[in-house]
Amino acid sequence: MTDRPTPAPRICPNCDGFASAAITLGGRNTRGQLRTITAHCPACHGTGSVPAPVREGARA
């Protein structure tokens, strides 16, 4: 018996796979670097993929 290939993860429709973004706050710190924060996609929680929907009556 052959193994079934694992399905590819589904890309999050809200962020298109770009789950995190660095956003500048404006200004610079004392070392001259830009101040940034990291924002994550609220739908996929920063993973970039979502689980496949479960269909009722699907065979295992």
Side-chain angles (χ1 to χ4, degrees):
M1 179 182 283
T2 60
D3 291 332
R4 292 183 181 165
T6 57
R10 294 175 25 128
I11 295 175
C12 176
N14 294 328
C15 64
D16 291 329
F18 296 97
S20 298
I23 301 170
T24 60
L25 298 174
R28 297 183 181 268
N29 63 13
T30 57
R31 298 176 74 188
Q33 300 167 333
L34 286 174
R35 294 185 304 157
T36 60
I37 59 171
T38 304
H40 298 290
C41 174
C44 66
H45 304 287
T47 62
S49 62
V50 292
V54 176
R55 297 185 301 175
E56 290 186 27
R59 291 186 162 177

